[in-house]
Amino acid sequence: MTTTHDQIATIAPDTIENTGRRTFLEAGIAAGAGLLLGLRIGPAPAADTDDHAGTAPAAAAPFAPNAFVRIGTDDTVTVIVKHLEMGQGTFTGLPTLVAEELDAAWDQIRAEGAPADATRYNNLLWGSAQGTGGSTALANSFEQLRKAGAAARRMLVTAAAQRWQVPATEIQVKDGVVSHRAGHRAPFGELAEAAAKLTVPTEVRLKDPAQFKLIGKPGLHRTDGPSKTDGSALFTQDVHLPGLLTALVVHPPRFGARVKRIHDTEARAIPGVERIAGIPSGVAIIARDFWTARRAQDALRVDWDETDAMTEGTAEILARYRELAKSPGAIARQDGDVDAALAGAAQVIEAEYSVPFLAHAAMEPMNCVIEPTDQGIRVWNGEQFQTGDQAALAKVFELAPEQVEIRMLFAGGSFGRRANPASDYLIEAAHCYQALRARLPVKLQWTREDDMRAGWYRPLYLHRIRAGIDPKGRPVGWDQRIVGQSIIAGTAFEPMMIKNGVDQTSVEGAANLPYSIAHFRLDLHSPRLPVPVQWWRSVGSSHTAFAGECMIDELATAAGQDPVAYRLRLLKNHPRHLAVLKLAAEKAGWGQPLPKGRGRGVAVHESFGTTVAQVAEVTVRKGGQFRVDRVVIAVDCGLAVNPDVIHAQMEGGMGFGLSAALLGEIRIEHGAVIQSNFHDYQVLRIDRMPEVEVHIVPSAQPPTGVGEPATPVIAPAVANALFAVTGQRLRSLPLRLSP
Amino acid sequence: MLTLRINGTEHQLDLDPAMPLLWAIREHVGLTGTKYGCGMAQCGACTVFLNGAPVRSCSTPVSVAAGGEVVTIEGLVQGLGASALGKVGQAVRTAWLELDVVQCGFCQSGQILAATALLAENPDPTDAQIDAAMSGNLCRCATYTRIRAAIRRAADALV
Ligand code: FES
Ligand code: FES
């Protein structure tokens, strides 16, 4: 198609320089077990060491297994972080664990992304797979990284004891300095080489939490703050390699349509366009830069074969789901005899809740770089699911998984999108690379329009709930039916996460409704649609919290009781729920009068082991306009490792949920997505961000995640607040008051 | 040939005059702190200063910027730009670091430039003025409460 391949293919594809020559100490820990090993002296890995905090070392580098800590002779302590930094703070949280046990000074800590290698960097809560999600990063690393830090500390102490000829027990470590009362003193860097020659201890003692100097303390600034405020942080969008070409893909306008004919004469004539070719997901345009590819995209015409294209839209899907909701689905949970309980109830309340398709709309549109190497390929990506993506790409390229090297870069947001169970955009990038037929690196860059329209949404769900109360207002029966696509069906997760026909991610947050109700039934329909769907920040809870927390509010109203008091009475067996609910209510001034037109609403929900309560305060104006003025959040996430990161995730996670509650909706008509960019897929802007207050419940329990749990709570809190002011029950998102 | 003056350095570039300034900066000058987020002046991730005023570089043809003075995040944090801007920019960045505003960070170059433009024009903005000035800059991580607080802090530091 183009005549320039020979010429461009002569550019050396692999020019990543190895500039690292520092001696270092590595300490590592076996997954879940005691210390394995991880001590060696040698050059830094064959990665670029040009200070991109998000750049991972090469998989082929001579690392010892299970390495998490590297101490340089220059006194820097580099923590190898196995999880993706996508904003949630893992490049700060995980290093905190190492620094604490190592007794390092916070300002000598650096964070570096780990390579794709599940033998060392698997997520301990995911078995043998490496990846980030489900708010697990800190929880699964809590012991592992503390042990890694403790082992490194012990070796530095031993090295010092040998050098100074004093008992190791008399040695102190503080702020990155090892010392002895006889006047000896050495910063870590001075001892790194000697420590690296020692055997790794087989057992280490971890600190008593009372001794913590960093964990739980304020004032630890984010490790990624400097590079994210001076333009130097490296995202996939920023990768530049010699010979790099940019690929855009024209996706079908309707789900299920296929390329019939490509009219590319005009597009090909544009100088700098290297190749135009059909690939399984559309038409790839590969050009010397983004703008050239964009112009070619405008010049290109594609005829689509729409024989198998989707014909339904949001309205038809909702109508079909309503029909389906009339018949029983697969049982997710059943206690007692709900039919009898409802038949005997003093009052039965029935309601239908629905939520739309949602795009993740991360600030950085999806992208991925594929680069040829001598061993196979190298992937540059805001990499969230190493093991799945490595396997998927190995299949496309007919390589062994270890021949697929992955550099985990910072992700400009993800909200679940970059952990795609089908590795969608990575495979698309691979197809673009293959279509080029030249050994040159290719960057697939989705436009914002692709990001909105080419799929992978939070599914649309419909809930129907019937609940009965006794004469005293207490709930006696709860019958809930959920209808919506399964995220898991057809993925590698199916054997683990679909049980008896029930996708656990469709019912999480509903199947474990915490309120004491003797007779309970939850069932599920998982209809199939051609719309590609996947997890979206907080997954099932993103809809189950809305339905459940609005319905319990409706019951409180039917019972004539205060929404907070009503919940508290039904949560006797859930101390964490009780604690956050009481704390949020107290701090929000629950029960204190508000001026006319203003009101409060409450919701409490547990997801990923973390419990969050929120009280939203709203002002309603004439004509149905309203504003969320203030949100008070209480959270129990176990031991608070980085209080400020927790605050940030509560603020931002709530804001992300509020965006969906107020504005978010992907609408489909005749198989095509209507929205295309931020002008018609509105997201929360600063002028609608409420004041936020965060309160952390003190806890000594093991830490749980905070990236997601604030997100699902805000929609029901706001809906309940709007009811308190207007008497209108809003049962579908986004929330729109009638004038 | 176009002459682009970016952060005080001149670049001679042979580009389509209609190419948005954003892509010239990112892919032809090699400064990647300025981000592509929407390409249609909706998100603010691509904000740069052109002759001292903030512009959406995704919607500004490179030919319009030719001969002008462009300052990006990389230049701003080094104190470049018209002297007043440089000073304000550094105060803004300091406040951003002190309050740990960033999450994913992708929007933050644009946020810092927009905040600098606001404070250069209005050294003591009210909350409503902050919201109005910053509402063109999306943050999907919703770091908005900290953006407000950091702008107030930078304003205090500049008095
Ligand atoms: S990329 Fe320019 S405003 Fe969004
Ligand atoms: S920090 Fe992530 S979009 Fe603003």
Side-chain angles (χ1 to χ4, degrees):
Chain A
M1 188 170 293
T2 67
T3 54
T4 52
H5 286 158
D6 290 345
Q7 189 197 335
I8 53 180
T10 56
I11 299 168
D14 189 349
T15 58
I16 304 301
E17 238 183 307
N18 175 10
T19 55
R21 287 288 179 276
R22 286 176 304 179
T23 303
F24 61 94
L25 158 70
E26 286 181 16
I29 308 294
L35 265 170
L36 265 193
L37 61 82
L39 186 64
R40 50 173 296 282
I41 303 175
D48 59 343
T49 49
D50 50 1
D51 286 336
H52 295 308
T55 304
F63 260 97
N66 301 310
F68 295 103
V69 188
R70 194 167 72 227
I71 298 177
T73 49
D74 62 357
D75 253 354
T76 55
V77 175
T78 304
V79 177
I80 318 299
V81 181
K82 63 182 181 177
H83 291 291
L84 172 67
E85 177 56 84
M86 46 188 155
Q88 85 281 35
T90 200
F91 269 42
T92 304
L94 268 48
T96 303
L97 303 173
V98 172
E100 177 67 66
E101 295 290 343
L102 186 56
D103 282 312
W106 184 243
D107 59 11
Q108 73 186 135
I109 297 285
R110 308 282 177 273
E112 181 179 291
D117 179 357
T119 62
R120 295 179 286 167
Y121 297 117
N122 57 317
N123 183 330
L124 302 183
L125 293 172
W126 291 4
S128 57
Q130 182 180 356
T132 308
S135 296
T136 56
L138 192 87
N140 95 93
S141 305
F142 186 57
E143 262 203 19
Q144 185 178 46
L145 287 193
R146 286 167 68 210
K147 283 181 183 169
R153 181 189 190 278
R154 176 112 162 245
M155 292 159 80
L156 291 165
V157 166
T158 307
Q162 287 175 0
R163 176 177 296 180
W164 300 330
Q165 295 294 303
V166 298
T169 48
E170 291 178 5
I171 285 184
Q172 298 215 318
V173 187
K174 200 180 164 211
D175 292 339
V177 177
V178 185
S179 63
H180 182 265
R181 60 177 137 78
H184 303 293
R185 189 181 175 284
F188 288 175
E190 269 179 36
L191 295 164
E193 255 176 281
K197 294 182 184 126
L198 302 171
T199 25
V200 179
T202 51
E203 260 184 42
V204 285
R205 253 200 27 227
L206 298 179
K207 283 184 184 175
D208 184 298
Q211 299 168 280
F212 286 160
K213 292 198 192 91
L214 300 175
I215 290 177
K217 305 291 185 270
L220 269 56
H221 289 294
R222 290 181 67 114
T223 60
D224 53 355
S227 72
K228 287 177 175 178
T229 50
D230 68 4
S232 67
L234 192 72
F235 297 86
T236 310
Q237 190 177 98
D238 309 329
V239 171
H240 194 76
L241 299 165
L244 180 80
L245 298 173
T246 297
L248 298 190
V249 173
V250 181
H251 295 104
R254 291 167 62 198
F255 296 115
R258 270 188 281 274
V259 176
K260 187 155 76 188
R261 213 188 130 92
I262 306 170
H263 306 274
D264 62 353
T265 318
E266 237 182 283
R268 276 193 296 142
I270 296 172
V273 174
E274 298 294 345
R275 182 166 286 276
I276 294 173
I279 59 171
S281 55
V283 180
I285 301 166
I286 304 171
R288 71 172 166 224
D289 60 14
F290 180 91
W291 183 242
T292 307
R294 192 77 179 77
R295 284 172 58 210
Q297 192 182 29
D298 287 342
L300 190 76
R301 271 199 310 118
V302 183
D303 297 337
W304 301 96
D305 173 359
E306 304 198 336
T307 323
D308 297 327
M310 179 178 176
T311 53
E312 279 184 316
T314 297
E316 294 81 17
I317 294 167
L318 255 178
R320 181 144 71 89
Y321 283 11
R322 273 193 189 112
E323 273 310 300
L324 210 46
K326 291 177 183 161
S327 61
I331 296 283
R333 178 180 152 196
Q334 183 151 239
D335 308 333
D337 185 345
V338 77
D339 294 318
L342 291 179
Q347 194 186 339
V348 173
I349 294 106
E350 180 162 359
E352 176 200 289
Y353 298 91
S354 66
V355 300
F357 292 107
L358 287 176
H360 302 73
M363 212 59 235
E364 180 184 21
M366 293 304 106
N367 45 19
C368 177
V369 176
I370 305 274
E371 182 194 7
T373 62
D374 291 342
Q375 293 76 34
I377 59 151
R378 179 177 296 136
V379 179
W380 302 74
N381 181 35
E383 178 61 45
Q384 198 176 346
F385 186 30
Q386 283 86 348
T387 304
D389 292 338
Q390 224 176 5
L393 291 175
K395 203 167 150 206
V396 174
F397 287 105
E398 297 177 8
L399 294 169
E402 22 338 322
Q403 291 172 284
V404 177
E405 179 195 327
I406 302 181
R407 298 284 179 100
M408 180 176 69
L409 307 178
F410 286 132
S414 167
F415 317 117
R417 180 65 183 87
R418 284 186 178 269
N420 184 277
S423 304
D424 73 311
Y425 69 90
L426 292 102
I427 289 180
E428 186 171 90
H431 288 152
C432 291
Y433 173 81
Q434 289 177 326
L436 179 64
R437 291 194 243 126
R439 282 181 60 80
L440 280 176
V442 172
K443 180 196 288 179
L444 168 70
Q445 180 61 60
W446 277 21
T447 62
R448 176 57 61 194
E449 288 76 11
D450 293 315
D451 209 84
M452 286 298 170
R453 290 188 160 166
W456 303 96
Y457 307 105
R458 194 283 305 277
L460 178 156
Y461 286 99
L462 183 91
H463 289 238
R464 205 217 49 187
I465 307 178
R466 287 192 311 140
I469 53 176
D470 68 13
K472 287 187 169 158
R474 291 175 300 210
V476 291
W478 179 291
D479 186 14
Q480 180 167 5
R481 181 161 296 148
I482 303 178
V483 186
Q485 283 167 277
S486 165
I487 291 167
I488 300 298
T491 73
F493 301 95
E494 192 166 324
M496 283 113 58
M497 292 165 82
I498 298 191
K499 293 177 189 142
N500 302 320
V502 177
D503 178 341
Q504 301 303 305
T505 72
S506 299
V507 298
E508 63 185 1
N512 52 337
L513 189 80
Y515 301 108
S516 17
I517 303 169
H519 304 279
F520 182 97
R521 179 169 61 209
L522 174 69
D523 64 6
L524 173 73
H525 288 286
S526 303
R528 293 188 182 249
L529 284 180
V531 183
V533 290
Q534 77 171 101
W535 30 66
W536 181 99
R537 198 174 191 173
S538 81
V539 200
S541 288
S542 74
H543 53 102
T544 58
F546 175 60
E549 280 302 291
C550 287
M551 190 63 182
I552 202 76
D553 226 69
E554 300 207 27
L555 296 188
T557 305
Q561 295 179 31
D562 172 79
V564 170
Y566 191 72
R567 284 174 173 83
L568 289 175
R569 243 169 254 135
L570 297 171
L571 289 169
K572 295 255 150 60
N573 301 321
H574 293 271
R576 286 181 142 192
H577 287 75
L578 282 177
V580 291
L581 189 53
K582 280 183 188 159
L583 185 59
E586 177 206 318
K587 298 289 182 185
W590 186 266
Q592 285 167 26
L594 283 170
K596 198 169 144 32
R598 297 182 66 186
R600 296 188 190 91
V602 67
V604 58
H605 188 78
E606 178 194 338
S607 55
F608 311 99
T610 292
T611 313
V612 175
Q614 295 177 5
V615 174
E617 220 172 276
V618 301
T619 301
V620 180
R621 293 192 197 84
K622 279 204 193 73
Q625 300 288 10
F626 66 92
R627 190 190 150 78
V628 182
D629 303 313
R630 176 178 178 232
V631 178
V632 177
I633 304 176
V635 54
D636 182 345
C637 55
L639 179 75
V641 173
N642 296 90
D644 193 57
V645 171
I646 295 167
H647 277 247
Q649 286 311 296
M650 290 298 113
E651 296 157 12
M654 184 282 295
F656 190 81
L658 185 62
S659 186
L662 301 182
L663 301 158
E665 179 171 20
I666 287 286
R667 267 194 89 77
I668 297 174
E669 280 176 23
H670 200 57
V673 170
I674 299 304
Q675 287 74 16
S676 62
N677 204 315
F678 289 123
H679 65 293
D680 53 8
Y681 187 80
Q682 296 272 345
V683 300
L684 192 79
R685 292 176 184 270
I686 195 170
D687 54 350
R688 295 185 79 173
M689 183 74 178
E691 290 300 319
V692 187
E693 245 179 65
V694 179
H695 303 277
I696 301 173
V697 175
S699 168
Q701 297 298 308
T704 49
V706 293
E708 298 171 271
T711 297
V713 193
I714 189 65
V718 172
N720 294 336
L722 291 171
F723 170 78
V725 182
T726 66
Q728 284 182 49
R729 281 286 177 198
L730 301 184
R731 300 190 181 96
S732 70
L733 296 181
L735 299 167
R736 287 181 191 126
L737 278 175
S738 325
Chain B
M1 273 294 174
L2 286 159
T3 304
L4 268 190
R5 215 178 137 74
I6 301 185
N7 301 332
T9 305
E10 271 190 14
H11 303 265
Q12 301 288 329
L13 300 165
D14 183 13
L15 300 173
D16 173 8
M19 176 188 284
L21 177 60
L22 169 68
W23 299 106
I25 293 171
R26 289 183 53 81
E27 297 190 336
H28 296 274
V29 177
L31 294 173
T32 54
T34 309
K35 306 299 186 196
Y36 164 73
C38 70
M40 58 179 295
Q42 291 290 316
C43 76
C46 65
T47 307
V48 299
F49 285 108
L50 175 58
N51 299 325
V55 297
R56 301 285 185 253
S57 65
C58 70
S59 307
T60 307
V62 67
S63 56
V64 170
E69 190 79 37
V70 176
V71 176
T72 68
I73 182 72
E74 290 90 347
L76 187 77
V77 299
Q78 288 161 29
L80 294 177
S83 54
L85 274 187
K87 189 168 155 246
V88 176
Q90 283 179 322
V92 168
R93 187 197 182 211
T94 302
W96 245 246
L97 288 171
E98 285 171 354
L99 296 183
D100 281 308
V101 172
V102 307
Q103 290 191 23
C104 84
F106 200 78
C107 72
Q108 297 293 348
S109 302
Q111 304 283 2
I112 289 172
L113 268 87
T116 302
L118 165 65
L119 290 178
E121 177 115 350
N122 177 358
D124 189 20
T126 62
D127 275 5
Q129 286 168 332
I130 291 174
D131 282 5
M134 300 300 292
S135 64
N137 287 76
L138 291 178
C139 177
R140 286 293 284 150
C141 301
T143 61
Y144 298 129
T145 52
R146 290 183 188 221
I147 289 173
R148 278 189 203 128
I151 290 174
R152 284 191 293 258
R153 176 177 286 234
D156 289 347
L158 282 165
V159 245

